[in-house]
Amino acid sequence: MSALEPSDARLADLPSEGVGEGGILGREHRALSFGIITVVLLIAFEATAVGTAMPVAARELDGVSLYAFAFSAYFTTSLFGMVVAGQWADRRGPLGALAVGMSGFAAGLLLSGTALNMWTFIAGRAVQGLGGGLVIVALYVVIGRAYPARLQPTIMAAFAAGWVVPSVVGPLVAGTVTEQLGWRWVFIGIPALVVFPLALALPATRRMASGPADPSAPPEPFERRRIGLALAISVGAGLMQYAGQELRWLSLLPFAAGAALLGPAVTGRRALLPHGTWRAARGLPAVVLLRGLAAGSFIAAESFVPLMLVTQRGLSPTMAGLSLAVGGGTWALGSYVQARPRMEAHRERLMMVGMVLVALAIVAAPSVLFEAVPVWVVGVAWGVGCFGMGMVIASTSVLLLKLSAPHEAGANSAALQISDGLSNVLLLAAGGAGFAALGGGAVAAAPHPGAFAVVFLPMGVVAGVGAFVAGRVRGA
């Protein structure tokens, strides 16, 4: 047993609730909990703020046709960062990946904020995604090492709660800054906030979760094969995204090349995802697949909501962003529900219900393309969908840690995030291609309403498939 790990006797004396003495805010975990929740707060603020500013940035940089690419570039490079972080954390601890990731996250924001054209803006999003991939896996490993199993659902719920204030404040602040100072200040201003979470999280992580999982074991070298597969999956996803945006016959070449790179990385015998993921094999493979279906369908749809409200209903960036604000609170509520101890026996059913709610929300959102439908319908629908996502996302995280041995937590967390990120990239590519094919890239005039419908409706079907997969997350 590592000196950093609490003994079984001490754990037996702790109360069962997660936020009291001995819980995530008890003396032992208080500093770490505040530190990593602050990191989540920053990521949440960035996500809500950037989403609000993105329609204006894309128009000013003459890049509406590349709108989906600006989102998927983040997820594409994050795939590589996730695999690197998984090995880095398993072998040397999560501290280094967390520090480097937050630094890269800030650097990417600065690059996007100073971009003079859309491709430079996208490059900044790619750098940001690399840092984000390192951070998210490092946080999962920190939770797996520093918190006992009974506290893990609570800290996951706290992560979800960390999105509430940014979801409300983020769009308002970003919209006001965009309208008064310009969209660039949304990106340039956020890096200044990185210092505070680093100052809280890094010392606590060093104290409670640093070093290899088994300090007595000889250090293992990085697996070059997995790093190579991670690079292949990132390049392949990027090529397929590029092909989907170009919509020319010659685009079939990068599409084929991307598919050839992705295939062995995600479906081969030594793939980065658990064997049986694509057929939803019971247990860990189904958990990993469900994470991808949930995140990919929801993010691909949500990315187009502000643009739809700005171009089709004439809302300001601030109001378009605020239409999604209620989702932060309902997401946290859904995560809170799954964290209740009495819900553990019903986790599979909660996840099925959650995916049905997500599907209904995605399908209902484009109803505002009809002028007779009030705009607030989007806010209500997204609140319902976020409640479902709160139950599903937190539950997949809890089940993954439960099904992972300590020395596999980093690799399996990376697999979960790869499924998440890859699904985001592929579904954003598909949605972006459909959007562009139906005239969504027009700058002078508002995109055709059908361009938005072809994004939302297929994503609702994908979420519906996730409800089936949720029935297979328990082991055989």
Side-chain angles (χ1 to χ4, degrees):
M1 177 182 292
S2 167
L4 297 174
E5 295 177 347
S7 67
D8 291 340
R10 287 175 62 196
L11 289 179
D13 293 335
L14 298 179
S16 60
E17 290 300 321
V19 295
E21 180 66 26
I24 65 170
L25 296 183
R27 184 173 59 182
E28 182 177 4
H29 293 96
R30 185 182 300 127
L32 180 61
S33 296
F34 276 124
I36 61 178
I37 290 171
T38 303
V39 172
V40 173
L41 279 168
L42 175 63
I43 294 174
F45 183 79
E46 179 275 339
T48 55
V50 168
T52 301
M54 193 73 78
V56 178
R59 280 185 160 183
E60 184 174 315
L61 296 174
D62 194 16
V64 176
S65 62
L66 298 173
Y67 186 80
F69 216 163
F71 286 96
S72 62
Y74 179 100
F75 299 115
T76 298
T77 53
S78 70
L79 296 172
F80 181 71
M82 290 168 189
V83 176
V84 172
Q87 294 203 39
W88 193 346
D90 282 343
R91 287 157 177 76
R92 302 177 185 176
L95 181 63
L98 184 60
V100 173
M102 290 297 292
S103 301
F105 187 81
L109 283 165
L110 289 174
L111 181 57
S112 289
T114 56
L116 299 179
N117 56 67
M118 193 63 174
W119 283 111
T120 305
F121 180 88
I122 290 171
R125 293 286 291 165
V127 174
Q128 187 185 345
L130 182 62
L134 292 171
V135 169
I136 190 64
V137 172
L139 288 179
Y140 273 77
V141 176
V142 169
I143 292 171
R145 290 191 184 187
Y147 295 86
R150 65 177 181 80
L151 292 181
Q152 288 170 6
T154 306
I155 191 66
M156 292 298 182
F159 276 15
W163 282 78
V164 175
V165 173
S167 295
V168 176
V169 176
L172 180 61
V173 172
T176 302
V177 170
T178 298
E179 294 172 19
Q180 301 299 322
L181 300 177
W183 64 267
R184 295 182 184 278
W185 287 100
V186 174
F187 292 84
I188 295 174
I190 293 176
L193 304 177
V194 169
V195 177
F196 182 65
L198 284 179
L200 279 176
L202 296 186
T205 300
R206 181 183 292 111
R207 178 172 57 87
M208 300 189 67
S210 62
D214 185 359
S216 63
E220 297 183 17
F222 279 73
E223 293 185 47
R224 294 183 180 180
R225 179 191 63 83
R226 290 184 68 84
I227 298 297
L229 289 176
L231 184 59
I233 203 174
S234 297
V235 174
L239 287 171
M240 294 181 72
Q241 172 69 30
Y242 176 78
Q245 293 295 138
E246 287 299 304
L247 297 177
R248 297 181 298 175
W249 285 109
L250 288 178
S251 299
L252 292 175
L253 294 178
F255 182 87
L261 288 170
L262 277 178
V266 299
T267 63
R269 293 183 60 185
R270 303 179 70 184
L272 296 174
L273 301 180
H275 180 66
T277 295
W278 295 109
R279 57 182 174 83
R282 288 190 176 276
L284 184 62
V287 172
V288 171
L289 178 60
L290 176 60
R291 178 59 164 261
L293 295 175
S297 60
F298 190 80
I299 295 299
E302 185 179 58
S303 299
F304 284 86
V305 170
L307 185 66
M308 178 175 66
L309 294 177
V310 168
T311 61
Q312 301 297 308
R313 299 302 295 266
L315 268 66
S316 68
T318 303
M319 294 306 299
L322 285 174
S323 68
L324 304 179
V326 68
T330 57
W331 190 307
L333 180 60
S335 187
Y336 172 83
V337 168
Q338 67 78 36
R340 298 301 85 200
R342 63 179 177 271
M343 291 297 180
E344 181 60 34
H346 309 289
R347 189 170 298 279
E348 181 177 323
R349 185 174 300 174
L350 281 176
M351 297 168 79
M352 293 174 68
V353 171
M355 288 309 303
V356 170
L357 295 179
V358 171
L360 292 175
I362 294 174
V363 172
S367 64
V368 297
L369 293 170
F370 298 99
E371 290 289 339
V373 178
V375 173
W376 55 258
V377 168
V378 170
V380 173
W382 229 245
V384 171
C386 284
F387 179 78
M389 286 292 287
M391 293 192 293
V392 173
I393 297 299
S395 290
T396 56
S397 302
V398 171
L399 286 176
L400 177 110
L401 293 174
K402 181 179 295 186
L403 296 171
S404 300
H407 66 281
E408 297 175 337
N412 287 344
S413 295
L416 188 74
Q417 298 304 322
I418 287 170
S419 177
D420 187 319
L422 181 60
S423 181
N424 286 335
V425 171
L426 295 181
L427 292 179
L428 273 167
F435 182 74
L438 292 183
V443 178
H448 190 280
F452 291 101
V454 81
V455 173
F456 286 94
L457 299 183
M459 298 310 154
V461 173
V462 173
V465 173
F468 165 76
V469 175
R472 301 179 60 82
V473 296
R474 294 290 186 182

